[in-house]
Amino acid sequence: MSFQIRTEPADQHFDAAPGETILAAALRQGVGLPYGCRNGTCGSCAAQLIAGQVDYPSGTTSGLEGKPPGTCLTCQAVPTADLVLGVTQIRGVAQIEVRTLPCRVVRKEHLSHDVVRLYLKLPEQQRLQFFAGQYLDFILRDGRKRAFSIANAPHDDAAIELHVRHVPQGQFTDYVFNDLQEKTILRIQGPLGTFFLREDTDRPIILMGGGTGFAPLKAMIEHAFHIGIERPMQLYWGVRARRDLYLPDLPLAWARAHPHFTYTPVLSEPDPDWQGRTGFVHEAVAADHADLSGFDCYLSGPPPMVEAGRRAFEARGLPRDHLFSDAFEYAPETRAAAGG
């Protein structure tokens, strides 16, 4: 016996098989629901449960913390009755096929003391179609997955660019940082996630990244330049010290080439000779913008940074529908390396 699911306000209908999560059923039938980590921690898949009942067989519901009553996590929730969900659908992502492919490491660069850049080449005649800001999974030999944000724009897809931060005691990132060799064959699955640049709006853009949360924002910015978006774009990049700005010249070059783009690095543990902004990156954004009601804001990085930014920006009038986020989980290694 399957359960019928209807979404509002789009009035989209689909069904879920017994034991199937809402998100799995939606993706199986080409219904574009928002999601991120797919393990119940990030909260990106949260939807309003207007009618019906769900169960959480996995028991993983930490992504519900801070959400309004009546919210469900579609990536973990299994229907036990017919449902009506209040959720904003993302039609474009659903139209892109999620594929599992082999890839070859064609280039490995140490960008800083704890960040490596990888370039992955797919088999001949193959390309990975994706939206700027999405991520992919590495599929390990034992079936585990490790997620990394795609750092290149869709038009520049001869190779897939990833920024990998060395996570302390992270088995996979230890391997990537120390032992992974060029020409190694790996297996990936993607594209994944609903963190991508919204193009059908005239609102100015604020992009806030923490650490290697810069990776998906880089893809968005380069895509925006490529398609000719000339809305004001402001990038705030928060790190501890100057050495953590692992591509320091790139945003400066963007700012020189594009008058509508500005860049603000923010150091929380600044070097003695640092003359720029200091403190937490979300505080710098808030200090510069007393009213965010007219902006689109993109947040990418560690969950505490994303959550602090969400609270601060909503307090300054940012509507929830115009705040887009991708929170990286560093431990356990699940969404552990999505860009970081």
Side-chain angles (χ1 to χ4, degrees):
M1 175 183 174
S2 62
F3 297 102
Q4 299 300 308
I5 302 171
R6 178 169 63 86
T7 67
E8 292 185 353
D11 196 31
Q12 185 86 29
H13 295 252
F14 61 101
D15 63 85
E20 187 176 31
T21 67
I22 297 169
L23 180 61
L27 296 178
R28 175 172 58 82
Q29 294 161 84
V31 177
L33 299 185
Y35 69 94
C37 66
R38 295 182 297 158
N39 60 28
T41 61
C42 75
S44 297
C45 69
Q48 181 186 5
L49 186 59
I50 297 173
Q53 296 181 332
V54 299
D55 192 15
Y56 291 94
S58 72
T60 305
T61 59
S62 60
L64 287 174
E65 185 176 349
K67 297 290 190 297
T71 299
C72 72
L73 299 177
T74 64
C75 76
Q76 299 295 307
V78 172
T80 58
D82 292 345
L83 306 180
V84 179
L85 297 178
V87 61
T88 301
Q89 290 182 219
I90 303 174
R91 299 183 183 275
V93 170
Q95 297 169 359
I96 295 181
E97 178 186 4
V98 176
R99 307 166 66 198
T100 300
L101 294 164
C103 65
R104 183 186 302 272
V105 179
V106 293
R107 188 172 163 193
K108 174 182 173 180
E109 299 176 347
H110 284 263
L111 297 179
S112 73
H113 66 105
D114 68 348
V115 175
V116 164
R117 173 159 59 182
L118 300 181
Y119 289 96
L120 310 177
K121 179 72 174 178
L122 298 181
E124 291 299 324
Q125 311 302 322
Q126 298 283 351
R127 285 288 190 272
L128 188 70
Q129 184 183 7
F130 60 94
F131 284 103
Q134 289 190 284
Y135 70 93
L136 57 78
D137 279 339
F138 280 118
I139 304 176
L140 309 187
R141 290 183 179 180
D142 60 5
R144 290 178 300 162
K145 297 180 179 180
R146 297 293 179 264
F148 292 83
S149 295
I150 301 171
N152 54 294
H155 69 276
D156 183 21
D157 66 348
I160 299 170
E161 177 185 348
L162 306 176
H163 301 169
V164 183
R165 180 189 169 211
H166 189 199
V167 179
Q169 299 180 336
Q171 182 178 359
F172 184 69
T173 59
D174 277 346
Y175 165 70
V176 170
F177 204 81
N178 298 314
D179 301 319
L180 178 67
Q181 300 296 312
E182 293 180 355
K183 299 185 179 180
T184 298
I185 302 296
L186 301 168
R187 196 156 61 110
I188 62 171
Q189 184 179 65
L192 301 165
T194 55
F195 185 65
F196 64 92
L197 183 67
R198 271 59 175 181
E199 302 172 23
D200 56 347
T201 170
D202 293 326
R203 298 164 68 93
I205 300 168
I206 291 175
L207 308 107
M208 185 183 81
T212 44
F214 173 74
L217 303 184
K218 172 184 176 293
M220 292 181 179
I221 292 165
E222 292 180 337
H223 175 65
F225 292 154
H226 178 72
I227 64 174
I229 289 178
E230 295 188 352
R231 286 179 278 152
M233 284 194 296
Q234 301 172 61
L235 169 65
Y236 292 81
W237 188 3
V239 296
R240 288 187 176 89
R242 183 190 282 112
R243 70 174 187 163
D244 299 314
L245 297 168
Y246 57 85
L247 284 172
D249 296 332
L250 182 59
L252 297 174
W254 290 338
R256 289 192 298 268
H258 302 277
H260 63 287
F261 175 83
T262 61
Y263 167 53
T264 305
V266 183
L267 305 189
S268 60
E269 300 173 9
D271 307 74
D273 62 343
W274 178 252
Q275 299 298 315
R277 303 288 288 274
T278 62
F280 293 118
V281 64
H282 73 279
E283 295 174 341
V285 177
D288 290 350
H289 300 279
D291 182 3
L292 289 169
S293 60
F295 287 81
D296 284 341
C297 292
Y298 297 84
L299 285 58
S300 178
M305 182 215 75
V306 170
E307 184 56 33
R310 186 191 309 273
R311 291 195 302 266
F313 298 171
E314 288 182 357
R316 282 157 177 75
L318 180 68
R320 286 194 174 189
D321 287 348
H322 293 277
L323 189 152
F324 313 100
S325 65
D326 193 15
F328 300 165
E329 294 288 349
Y330 294 111
E333 283 192 346
T334 50
R335 180 78 169 93

